[in-house]
Structure formats: C-alpha cells, structure tokens
Amino acid sequence: MSSFRVVAISPALAATVRETMRSPQYGHPAHSELATGYGPCRECLRTFAVGADQRILFTYDPFAGVESLPLPGPVFIHADACSGYDERAGFPADLRAHAVTLNAYARGRRVVAQEYVADGNVEPVIERLFAQPDVAYLHVRDTKAGCFDFQIERA
C-alpha cells in the first residue's frame, strides 16, 4: 500500500464536461479535438493516443474547494467516458515516461518546494516532500507543457 493517494479529476466533474461541453467551474466553452499530444486524461491519468483519441479541452482550477486563491488552466479528458483513477494505485504508470514537476504546497497555496523528476522514479521525491511538516499536498505538473496533471495527498 502506498503512503500517498493520487487525486485525479472526479468522474462526476468529467461527466458534466462531456454532457454540457462547458467548464463546470467557469462556464467557459469546452473544445473537442483529436489528440495532438500525450496528455494525460485528467480523469483516468492514461496518456492519449496521438492522432487516434478524441479529447476535450476545458478550463479547470485544481485549487477549487481547497484554497481561496484560484489558479485555473487548461486540462484534457477523454471525449468518451473512461474510468476514474484509483487513488490507491500509486503514481500513474503512463506518466513515468514523461518529465514531471512536483510542487509542494502549504495551506494558503504557498509553494514550499519544487522538484523535477525526469526518470520516472517519483516515490523517493514524494516521500522527501511529504517529510516536510508544512507540506499539505502536492501538485504534479507536466514539466514540458507546465499544465496541471493531478494532486497527491498523504494516505
């Protein structure tokens, strides 16, 4: 069992996006397109098949309900329903092949540390960040694109 849990976009939020083609948090229109990049889908945390998978782009704020200061940005989900990621499944296998940035946050959306992982060996970095007592949660971002992928919390 992992010492952390991976928190992806909820299946309910993703279903709302698919149903309305709007960002549930902002009301901005969503956009559907054939995948031109690997993603990942922010619901199942699997990478997209470039040129094959249909995906939906929408505005998402990963701090909604957690912090008072928003930080919205673009995210993708599969256009067709997919399974939500199992929070206890550890770091998503599909993302180990991609460079990620882990931002460690204290309450108040204050960044207290930032680590880059390019070799897929994320667990020691996660453990080291959570060893800091003021770290409340981590955000995983794609290092190349800079966009939010998912949140990590202590188990």
Side-chain angles (χ1 to χ4, degrees), residues 128-143:
R128 185 169 59 250
L129 290 170
F130 277 141
Q132 298 179 40
D134 56 344
V135 172
Y137 53 89
L138 310 175
H139 278 187
V140 176
R141 301 182 80 86
D142 181 280
T143 299

Side-chain angles (χ1 to χ4, degrees), residues 37-41 44-50 53 78 93-95 97-98:
Y38 58 83
C41 171
C44 68
L45 301 180
R46 291 190 315 267
T47 55
F48 294 109
V50 174
D53 285 344
H78 283 107
D94 280 13
L95 299 184
H98 305 286

Side-chain angles (χ1 to χ4, degrees), residues 11-37:
L13 189 139
T16 298
V17 172
R18 291 184 187 103
E19 188 176 299
T20 66
M21 287 303 291
R22 297 192 97 51
S23 165
Q25 297 170 321
Y26 293 92
H28 301 152
H31 170 76
S32 182
E33 66 180 21
L34 199 58
T36 57

Side-chain angles (χ1 to χ4, degrees), residues 51-151:
D53 285 344
Q54 194 70 21
R55 64 186 185 176
I56 298 172
L57 171 70
F58 67 100
T59 304
Y60 177 72
D61 177 15
F63 291 103
V66 178
E67 301 287 354
S68 60
L69 295 171
L71 189 62
V75 295
F76 290 101
I77 58 170
H78 283 107
D80 294 326
C82 57
S83 302
Y85 192 77
D86 178 358
E87 292 183 348
R88 306 274 182 209
F91 196 87
D94 280 13
L95 299 184
R96 288 186 186 277
H98 305 286
V100 295
T101 300
L102 286 87
N103 290 334
Y105 288 94
R107 294 287 169 212
R109 207 188 85 185
R110 186 172 50 89
V111 177
V112 295
Q114 186 176 69
E115 296 272 349
Y116 303 99
V117 180
D119 64 1
N121 191 21
V122 295
E123 287 80 4
V125 177
I126 293 167
E127 295 300 325
R128 185 169 59 250
L129 290 170
F130 277 141
Q132 298 179 40
D134 56 344
V135 172
Y137 53 89
L138 310 175
H139 278 187
V140 176
R141 301 182 80 86
D142 181 280
T143 299
K144 184 177 176 183
C147 50
F148 172 82
D149 287 344
F150 57 91
Q151 183 165 302

